[in-house]
Amino acid sequence: MTGPSPSTPLPDLTGQVALVTGTTSGLGRRFAEILAGHGATVVLTGRRADRLETMATELRAAGHSCMPLPLDVTDAASLPAAVDRIRDELGMVTILVNNAGIPDARLAHTMPLDLIDRVLDTNLRAPYVLSCAVARGLIESDRPGRIVNISSMFARTYADAGASLYSVTKAGVVRMTEVLAVEWARHRINVNCIMAGAVATEMLDGMIERVGDPSEGFPRKRLMTPAQIDSTLLYLVSPDSEAVTGATIAVDDGQYAR
């Protein structure tokens, strides 16, 4: 497990319960590690229970508090129930990171309906349902909270054939961030979005195998690392961002012209 870099800000998240989706690999795993390292009790979720247990063992060995919770985000009915279970066992979820996502990796006209449903359910319906479930509990208990949605530069830039629906869902995540921020501002629930560039993760490895490495076309000729998003995530869940809501922050290493 890798920890925060020396330059990473150090907010104290002790007493916060953070739910992160898609923690079995990539950005989700990194987000869970960084939040736990700053004192939050982190709920690890994903479909691969063995990976969740391994990660939980590692975090506990490092002195951090966590709870592995197998979760398939495409099962919408299970999402509010998961939030209720977390509240009963750990306390109210005060930080939600909607990270879980899948690519389409097919030309739009060749996508079968079941793949369309999986992409929509994972990338857009799940974060909406989870955000509402978490917000409902916070509003009923009159507590503030932080929701961070993970989008992609593909929300604004479409450079690769085979990512059409992925791009649509990630654009939807940006708009979802904006409207929920307005609706819940009066309840002290901040909703923000990180629009990530191409990050070296397991998911991107699969895309590179299919369409090649895009980094040669980037100004800095490199992919990002998950750790390069640490400071943005920590800022958005910390007291320092109290007046920031409805924002989408691009963290893309200058990869995509805007």
Side-chain angles (χ1 to χ4, degrees):
M1 183 180 70
T2 55
S5 64
S7 60
T8 301
L10 299 174
D12 183 5
L13 302 178
T14 302
Q16 304 286 330
V17 176
L19 168 58
V20 184
T21 63
T23 64
T24 55
S25 66
L27 288 178
R29 180 181 176 90
R30 178 65 188 185
F31 295 156
E33 290 173 350
I34 203 73
L35 294 173
H38 287 78
T41 297
V42 179
V43 182
L44 312 171
T45 70
R47 291 177 297 172
R48 292 173 283 192
D50 56 335
R51 290 196 180 190
L52 296 178
E53 291 295 340
T54 298
M55 187 177 183
T57 298
E58 294 173 355
L59 287 174
R60 289 165 179 158
H64 306 314
S65 179
C66 65
M67 170 185 171
L69 180 62
L71 186 67
D72 180 356
V73 296
T74 65
D75 180 4
S78 71
L79 302 181
V83 173
D84 289 343
R85 176 180 170 185
I86 295 165
R87 180 199 60 213
D88 292 342
E89 296 189 22
L90 298 177
M92 189 72 64
V93 174
T94 54
I95 296 171
L96 170 64
V97 182
N98 282 310
N99 165 77
I102 59 172
D104 40 12
R106 295 280 293 271
L107 295 174
H109 69 283
T110 69
M111 291 181 68
L113 185 58
D114 65 327
L115 178 57
I116 293 172
D117 286 342
R118 286 200 306 274
V119 174
L120 288 170
D121 292 350
T122 302
N123 295 3
L124 192 54
R125 185 179 68 173
Y128 189 90
V129 172
L130 266 177
S131 295
C132 291
V134 168
R136 188 178 305 114
L138 292 169
I139 292 168
E140 289 174 354
S141 61
D142 192 26
R143 294 186 61 180
R146 297 285 195 273
I147 297 174
V148 180
N149 299 315
I150 306 303
S151 183
S152 162
M153 292 306 297
F154 275 61
R156 294 180 180 170
T157 301
Y158 180 63
D160 297 318
S164 57
L165 187 56
Y166 179 81
S167 299
V168 168
T169 60
K170 290 304 183 179
V173 167
V174 172
R175 186 58 179 153
M176 179 182 76
T177 297
E178 295 166 347
V179 297
L180 293 184
V182 171
E183 185 166 328
W184 296 336
R186 66 179 67 93
H187 300 293
R188 298 173 296 151
I189 299 171
N190 289 23
V191 188
N192 291 294
C193 181
I194 296 174
M195 186 181 291
V199 183
T201 63
E202 186 176 308
M203 186 174 81
L204 188 65
D205 288 344
M207 294 183 68
I208 288 174
E209 288 180 6
R210 291 187 295 271
V211 301
D213 188 345
S215 61
E216 281 304 308
F218 297 154
R220 294 179 178 174
K221 310 295 182 185
R222 69 183 187 185
L223 299 174
M224 294 171 54
T225 67
Q228 289 173 315
I229 304 179
D230 289 356
S231 59
T232 305
L233 175 68
L234 288 170
Y235 171 65
L236 292 177
V237 302
S238 76
D240 291 339
S241 63
E242 181 184 5
V244 179
T245 191
T248 294
I249 301 175
V251 184
D252 75 331
D253 201 36
Q255 294 169 355
Y256 298 96
R258 292 186 291 282

